[in-house]
Amino acid sequence: MQCTMLKAKLHQARVTHAELEYEGSCAIDGELLDLSGILEYEQIQIYNIDNGERFTTYAIRGEEGSKMISVNGAAAHKAQPGDRIIICAYANYSSAELINFKPRLIYLADGNAVKGTSNAIPVQVA
C-alpha cells in the first residue's frame, strides 16, 4: 500500500519577490531547501495565508543565505511581497516506510529566519 504524506513544510514564509516575467517556479533560499529536504524541481503546494490562494508550482534553488522566497511566473498573481505563505511538499511512502515516518517542519520568523523545527504538528485542542 502507498500513502501520500506531508514530506516537508516551510511554515509562515514571507514572500520576498513576485516576478511575473520570470520562468514559472518558486525560488527558495538554498539553505531552507536543504533544511526542509525539498528538492530543486520538486512539486510544491503553496498556501497563501493572507489572501487564501492555493496553487501548485515547483521549487528552484535561490541564493544561499538570501532568505529569498520568490513566487514567479503566473503564480506571481497569487502572492505578493510581504504575504505569509505555507510551502508544502508531499511524497508517496510504503507501509514499511510509514513505521518511522516523520515530516520535516520548518517554522519561520520575520525575514524568513528559522525560529524552530519539528517533526510533528501539535494536537489541536477545542
Side-chain angles (χ1 to χ4, degrees):
M1 176 182 94
Q2 290 280 315
C3 190
T4 303
M5 302 290 287
L6 176 66
K7 170 187 162 182
K9 174 172 83 164
L10 294 168
H11 189 74
Q12 293 218 12
R14 288 276 180 176
V15 175
T16 60
H17 301 77
E19 302 290 341
L20 184 60
E21 299 303 324
Y22 193 84
E23 185 175 340
S25 58
C26 180
I28 301 170
D29 177 325
E31 292 176 359
L32 294 175
L33 280 181
D34 293 344
L35 183 61
S36 68
I38 297 172
L39 304 174
E40 190 168 18
Y41 307 114
E42 184 172 2
Q43 179 177 300
I44 55 175
Q45 299 287 320
I46 297 180
Y47 312 123
N48 190 320
I49 297 166
D50 292 326
N51 67 19
E53 291 282 358
R54 299 167 73 92
F55 53 97
T56 303
T57 188
Y58 60 94
I60 62 172
R61 193 167 203 86
E63 181 182 0
E64 308 283 324
S66 66
K67 307 301 183 204
M68 167 188 283
I69 303 289
S70 182
V71 179
N72 301 322
H77 290 289
K78 298 181 176 287
Q80 296 300 310
D83 284 358
R84 295 171 302 146
I85 61 173
I86 300 167
I87 301 171
C88 294
Y90 299 88
N92 293 320
Y93 297 91
S94 68
S95 297
E97 291 172 307
L98 289 175
I99 293 169
N100 295 311
F101 171 78
K102 299 287 183 192
R104 289 188 188 180
L105 310 173
I106 313 302
Y107 297 92
L108 301 176
D110 288 341
N112 293 329
V114 175
K115 74 175 177 182
T117 63
S118 181
N119 60 15
I121 296 173
V123 173
Q124 184 174 346
V125 296

